[in-house]
Amino acid sequence: MTKYEVVGIGNAVVDVISHADDSFLAHMGIEKGIMQLIERDRAEVLYGAMQDRLQTPGGSVANAIAGVGALGLPTAFIGRVHDDALGRFYADSMRDGGTDFVNAPVQGGDLPTSRSMIFVSPDGERSMNTYLGISTDLGPADVPETVASNAKIIFLEGYLFDKDHGKEAFLQASRLACAAGGKAGIAISDPFCVERHRSDFLTLIENELDYVIGNQHEIESLFETDLETALSKTAAICPLVVCTRSGDGVTVVSGKERIDVPVQTVTPVDATGAGDQFAAGFLYGMATGRDLTTCARMGNLCAAEVISHVGPRPLIDMMAEFRKAGLV
């Protein structure tokens, strides 16, 4: 039976990328430079209007897990796709990238595979239009016991907290992993997720999880306060708190230990995926027994690489970069 180093649970979203100028965006009523959630009819119209589609498997935690897998560790991803062309593409692409996609595409039913139509302007701005589709229906029945119980680390996606069955899936996965000696944690994902479910978020963190990863705004939103107070309060209820602060570096708090790890300033070409790939590097370090400073430095290198080009996943061998930096 496969022993997975890191297993992720999250939205399985196909990123469909196309180039578009400002006149096209205006004609289609697309608001430039932001992410909008859209309904199915709108998704079909925009998908049909794309001229030069580039399709890649996406989703925040899925990107992070793929990053860990690319570093050579056995990984798996738990998510829902429909048995349609995009769903089969997603499942095959995750497997081809080295991560087990453990849920077979769902046959029947009404909801298609989730997709995000991303229009890239000549100035590099990305206008994202996301239809969540079937991925948000993930529930406890989608969490294979054989996978969760054989995970050293479980990584949960905060976006799935919007539905009760998503919360139930999280509880099942984290409890199975922890009962078998693994660790469970969450990517907070978005301050607005916290605002919608603050009490449930804090209950989960305090009672079920071993670590939390979020950016400054996400950590602050947990307790609706300034960063230092939020870090202190979060660390009081969770063994490990990891906070990314863009150009100001990374803060990691574990019990009474606090480390602040600087970052090398990089002018981003495309900031998409920075947090996801930071998590990939950090989780790789955790899974392989590195100290917290090394984990953070690995995360920083992965984030710096992914913002240097368009796309949410690294384009070079990050293990080679770790070697150059003396981290492995």
Side-chain angles (χ1 to χ4, degrees):
M1 187 175 295
T2 302
K3 173 69 176 180
Y4 295 106
E5 294 293 308
V6 186
V7 173
I9 302 178
N11 284 317
V13 182
V14 177
D15 288 339
V16 188
I17 304 171
S18 177
H19 292 89
D21 59 22
D22 288 357
S23 62
F24 176 88
L25 298 181
H27 175 69
M28 298 301 298
I30 297 169
E31 191 166 348
K32 185 176 179 178
I34 68 167
M35 194 283 278
Q36 289 184 307
L37 292 178
I38 58 175
E39 297 300 323
R40 182 173 181 174
D41 290 349
R42 173 71 167 162
E44 291 173 353
V45 168
L46 293 181
Y47 185 80
M50 302 179 99
Q51 297 299 313
D52 55 341
R53 301 187 193 106
L54 170 66
Q55 296 180 171
T56 63
S60 175
V61 163
N63 286 334
I65 298 304
V68 178
L71 287 164
L73 296 185
T75 54
F77 182 67
I78 297 169
R80 274 177 80 84
V81 297
H82 190 69
D83 188 17
D84 53 21
L86 285 179
R88 291 188 291 273
F89 164 80
Y90 191 97
D92 291 343
S93 296
M94 289 295 286
R95 294 189 193 104
D96 291 346
T99 292
D100 285 352
F101 188 77
V102 300
N103 304 87
V106 178
Q107 296 182 347
D110 215 21
L111 294 174
T113 296
S114 309
R115 75 286 308 265
S116 181
M117 276 66 66
I118 303 170
F119 297 89
V120 182
S121 308
D123 59 4
E125 284 275 13
R126 292 162 67 91
S127 307
M128 305 175 69
N129 299 263
T130 303
Y131 169 61
L132 291 176
I134 196 173
S135 66
T136 58
D137 277 354
L138 186 140
D142 298 303
V143 180
E145 182 174 352
T146 53
V147 174
S149 295
N150 282 282
K152 180 184 286 186
I153 296 172
I154 286 273
F155 191 39
L156 313 173
E157 184 174 308
Y159 285 124
L160 279 178
F161 232 61
D162 272 326
K163 292 192 176 182
D164 287 342
H165 42 252
K167 298 174 188 176
E168 293 165 7
F170 283 1
L171 287 174
Q172 177 163 314
S174 61
R175 288 172 180 175
L176 286 169
C178 292
K183 294 182 181 297
I186 195 167
I188 297 176
S189 296
D190 192 312
F192 298 111
C193 287
V194 177
E195 288 177 13
R196 291 191 293 270
H197 309 283
R198 183 169 287 105
S199 177
D200 285 344
F201 251 110
L202 291 174
T203 297
L204 180 76
I205 290 168
E206 181 170 11
N207 297 313
E208 307 287 346
L209 300 184
D210 301 291
Y211 67 93
V212 172
I213 298 177
N215 64 33
Q216 177 174 344
H217 301 300
E218 292 161 357
I219 296 293
E220 288 173 341
S221 69
L222 287 172
F223 290 96
E224 299 180 277
T225 186
D226 64 274
L227 179 60
E228 291 303 317
T229 304
L231 282 170
S232 177
K233 288 188 173 185
T234 308
I237 63 172
C238 187
L240 177 62
V241 183
V242 184
C243 178
T244 59
R245 297 180 289 121
S246 298
D248 293 327
V250 178
T251 297
V252 183
V253 184
S254 176
K256 294 183 178 180
E257 179 187 7
R258 171 176 173 153
I259 61 170
D260 292 285
V261 180
V263 295
Q264 182 176 352
T265 302
V266 176
T267 301
V269 173
D270 176 8
T272 307
D276 305 338
Q277 293 311 317
F278 171 84
F282 194 94
L283 292 174
Y284 175 86
M286 280 180 59
T288 54
R290 265 66 179 191
D291 62 81
L292 294 176
T293 298
T294 301
C295 291
R297 290 181 64 197
M298 287 176 164
N300 286 343
L301 278 177
C302 291
E305 193 284 333
V306 82
I307 67 174
S308 70
H309 57 77
V310 174
R313 298 185 180 184
L315 297 180
I316 63 175
D317 181 357
M318 289 310 303
M319 186 57 68
E321 296 303 301
F322 289 175
R323 292 192 186 99
K324 287 181 191 175
L327 299 178
V328 294

